[in-house]
Amino acid sequence: MTPTKPAHVVVQGVKGVRLKQFERVVADILPCIQPSYVLLPAKPANGDLDVKSWPFHTLPAAARVWGTLEGQLAQKERATRKEAQIRSMIRCVLALLPTTKTTQRDKKEENSASYTIVDFGGGSGHLAIPLALLLPSCRIVVVDLGQHSLELMHQKAELCQIEGNDSTRLPLSDDSIDGMRRCRAIPNLFSFHGPVESFNQPFDMALALHLCGEATDVALRKCVQAQAIVFAPCCVGKLNRERKNPYVWQATGANDPSIKYPQSNQFCQFLNEESDWNELAKAADYSNIAECRSSRNAARRTAKALLETDRRLFMEETFGFRTALTRMEPWEATPKNDIILGWRDSCSFKQTARDSECEADIQLTIDHLLIPLSEGNSSSKPHRLMNCVDWTSDEEEAIREQIQVYVDSKEHTFVFPVRLPRRIRKLVHYVADQMGLEHWSEGKGRADKTVSVGRKGCRKQLPSTPSTHPTRLETT
Ligand SMILES: C[S@@+](CC[C@H](N)C(=O)[O-])C[C@H]1O[C@@H](n2cnc3c(N)ncnc32)[C@H](O)[C@@H]1O
């Protein structure tokens, strides 16, 4: 996605409300990278559109999430939400299934199952069992650390065989292939016990429904050869260098050293302070279902959308996928309802239209955090300079005037107050440079960072102290 330049100026929250740190980060990024959503792919035309429980109504009862078996979600409300998540994932999988065989392995094995779909962190098979039943000619492999969860999947599969008609399935041969254990009852369903990191078999499509935190990013890096991906991440609050990611840590004894946030080059241009990323990740990790749609939570949803946009852009930049972001139906299926879609040309996927409801939701954040230009001086035009940092003529003039006051004074240096948006700090550097002055930043985190200007050679003479004079741009 090319960074966009909406006609907004980050100044303050509406009505002068002081912004939280994560809101400032969101407000800083939105003028440069705005998340966009496409509609969740439709159910297949031959799906029974009137039946709310699609596709479960065609499957054995044991393939459902709810049930009496240990490991099934006996609690009806939670099970209903999980089924909505699975329905949304399956809609994406069916839409993205490649229509032609293009992978090297498929060319060699024309007579075998047509595609291998891996469900990373697939647990007890909530998603994999229905998929294996719906796509009998595809191999479905569940990769999970949890031996107990995988055992439950095998038990559930046994129940499905008793109830279901298995005449169309693959012939049963070996129980164990390349470290994967085949389900005897659903022969196109396999389990692989181990961390995502250790799975090295080829596959065509990768899925991950709520694969925790950094494990999602480890799995994304496994998709170099894949034709398509459908990822609905969770635990984004753990995407943070300061925290041990519980699952990746459990699997490997360390966070993955190769993963740094943000991951995409586009984000790195606009977000390079670790504390900013950590705040964004923390804010995006809300878990209250009631906040899935509330307008007061719009900025957190946008923070989540930004995190997933970073992943989406990373997959485009690094592995050449075409990508889109979509959202589960209904949103209340889970607060972790964003789905990253990735595909290659071999998938005859027709990208769906933009999702106006999701985009209106982001607009709520924009309205809250950004003040439209039209509310200020309409002759003020944003500039695009220094890595797409935008500011208006008014903002530039205001900074120039303040620096001029300093130049006309006898002060040695002028220190702008802390907590200026990064965009404005860059503007100070830009203007000071144009005026032939020295300019520098001090302090590490956003809360401490100051930008100072001074006459040539002044830096050696005086230590900087934060100015008590507010700038006109710092209104909070
Ligand atoms: C929140 S559960 C989701 C389970 C399933 N996808 C679902 O939606 O019902 C996360 C699963 O990911 C697995 N997991 C987390 N990190 C993993 C890793 N690094 N390698 C393999 N599995 C992992 C956990 O064992 C757990 O079963």
Side-chain angles (χ1 to χ4, degrees):
M1 185 179 72
T2 316
T4 51
K5 187 176 66 171
H8 287 90
V9 185
V10 182
V11 181
Q12 60 176 35
V14 283
K15 297 177 194 134
V17 176
R18 189 181 177 87
L19 298 185
K20 296 183 180 127
Q21 185 178 345
F22 93 84
E23 291 175 321
R24 284 184 160 269
V25 179
V26 169
D28 271 0
I29 300 174
L30 278 181
C32 308
I33 299 180
Q34 234 182 70
S36 63
Y37 282 85
V38 298
L39 290 167
L40 188 71
K43 291 172 196 166
N46 61 356
D48 186 343
L49 296 179
D50 296 330
V51 179
K52 269 197 173 169
S53 57
W54 176 93
F56 294 101
H57 66 296
T58 61
L59 302 177
R64 300 200 71 141
V65 172
W66 53 265
T68 50
L69 195 66
E70 191 203 347
Q72 290 188 302
L73 290 178
Q75 199 190 335
K76 193 70 195 256
E77 199 187 315
R78 282 180 61 212
T80 304
R81 285 205 302 271
K82 181 54 87 179
E83 287 194 354
Q85 297 165 27
I86 289 165
R87 196 173 292 123
S88 298
M89 292 290 285
I90 291 179
R91 279 167 65 168
C92 298
V93 173
L94 297 183
L96 284 170
L97 262 188
T99 50
T100 53
K101 287 187 174 186
T102 54
T103 64
Q104 290 302 319
R105 190 181 47 72
D106 282 338
K107 279 177 192 154
K108 281 191 216 137
E109 301 178 21
E110 286 293 334
N111 297 323
S112 67
S114 53
Y115 293 105
T116 298
I117 302 176
V118 178
D119 182 9
F120 286 114
S124 56
H126 286 147
L127 170 61
I129 290 178
L131 258 189
L133 293 166
L134 287 168
L135 301 171
S137 65
C138 289
R139 258 193 215 97
I140 314 293
V141 184
V142 172
V143 174
D144 205 287
L145 276 176
Q147 176 76 67
H148 183 62
S149 301
L150 294 175
E151 198 51 52
L152 287 169
M153 178 180 89
H154 285 275
Q155 285 178 27
K156 263 177 82 173
E158 292 291 330
L159 293 179
C160 289
Q161 186 194 35
I162 293 163
E163 298 172 32
N165 171 4
D166 63 352
S167 58
T168 54
R169 301 200 192 113
L170 292 173
L172 190 60
S173 56
D174 296 344
D175 278 351
S176 179
I177 304 166
D178 297 328
M180 300 183 288
R181 178 178 159 205
R182 187 196 283 264
C183 277
R184 297 196 62 85
I186 306 178
N188 60 325
L189 180 61
F190 295 79
S191 64
F192 177 91
H193 178 224
V196 169
E197 296 81 344
S198 65
F199 184 76
N200 289 318
Q201 300 298 321
F203 55 88
D204 302 293
M205 186 186 276
L207 319 178
L209 174 57
H210 297 169
L211 176 58
C212 321
E214 193 184 43
T216 282
D217 300 302
V218 176
L220 285 174
R221 283 162 175 74
K222 290 273 170 191
C223 299
V224 187
Q225 306 283 344
Q227 299 300 303
I229 60 168
V230 180
F231 273 56
C234 76
C235 301
V236 289
K238 301 196 179 86
L239 307 183
N240 180 331
R241 292 286 100 196
E242 290 151 20
R243 300 188 57 177
K244 290 176 185 173
N245 189 296
Y247 289 99
V248 176
W249 191 277
Q250 185 187 334
T252 64
N255 282 354
D256 191 311
S258 66
I259 300 173
K260 301 253 181 313
Y261 300 104
Q263 302 181 81
S264 68
N265 296 333
Q266 285 192 47
F267 258 75
C268 287
Q269 281 186 54
F270 305 115
L271 199 160
N272 47 25
E273 286 176 38
E274 204 171 317
S275 66
D276 283 353
W277 174 269
N278 293 347
E279 284 301 310
L280 200 65
K282 200 164 80 186
D285 205 4
Y286 65 94
S287 54
N288 185 349
I289 293 281
E291 298 292 19
C292 278
R293 221 176 268 269
S294 73
S295 57
R296 70 173 175 184
N297 204 43
R300 286 183 192 274
R301 287 193 293 274
T302 303
K304 173 76 164 52
L306 284 168
L307 295 193
E308 304 312 351
T309 300
D310 173 51
R311 284 177 160 140
R312 186 176 82 65
L313 294 174
F314 168 76
M315 292 307 280
E316 284 188 4
E317 293 169 0
T318 312
F319 298 131
F321 275 93
R322 296 166 69 190
T323 67
L325 194 58
T326 186
R327 192 169 270 171
M328 293 176 186
E329 275 181 16
W331 295 6
E332 289 79 4
T334 163
K336 286 88 174 108
N337 51 20
D338 289 324
I339 306 181
I340 302 166
L341 303 177
W343 67 97
R344 301 196 191 273
D345 291 339
S346 57
C347 316
S348 62
F349 175 58
K350 299 263 180 304
Q351 189 169 319
T352 47
R354 289 173 79 127
D355 186 332
S356 54
E357 198 183 0
C358 289
E359 295 195 344
D361 193 47
I362 291 167
Q363 189 60 43
L364 274 181
T365 310
I366 291 172
D367 293 346
H368 176 64
L369 301 182
L370 310 177
I371 293 179
L373 278 178
S374 55
E375 286 179 20
N377 180 349
S378 57
S379 67
S380 190
K381 294 275 184 292
H383 294 276
R384 176 164 289 252
L385 215 39
M386 297 171 73
N387 293 337
C388 302
V389 174
D390 294 344
W391 50 75
T392 68
S393 314
D394 284 350
E395 287 174 316
E396 186 179 330
E397 198 46 43
I399 292 292
R400 195 178 297 280
E401 274 176 21
Q402 284 176 77
I403 297 179
Q404 191 59 50
V405 171
Y406 152 72
V407 169
D408 296 340
S409 75
K410 293 199 166 72
E411 298 291 328
H412 280 272
T413 52
F414 179 76
V415 187
F416 282 80
V418 292
R419 295 194 161 273
L420 277 185
R422 181 173 54 246
R423 194 175 65 81
I424 300 300
R425 291 201 305 270
K426 286 197 173 179
L427 172 59
V428 172
H429 287 295
Y430 169 74
V431 174
D433 205 64
Q434 279 198 330
M435 294 171 77
L437 298 169
E438 283 196 11
H439 47 95
W440 63 95
S441 291
E442 283 171 320
K444 276 197 173 158
R446 169 181 279 266
D448 299 327
K449 205 148 203 161
T450 57
V451 55
S452 307
V453 297
R455 296 175 190 82
K456 292 281 180 205
C458 72
R459 274 191 84 174
K460 292 173 197 142
Q461 296 168 20
L462 265 189
S464 301
T465 47
S467 165
T468 50
H469 304 293
T471 71
R472 271 199 256 150
L473 291 155
E474 179 58 42
T475 52
T476 56

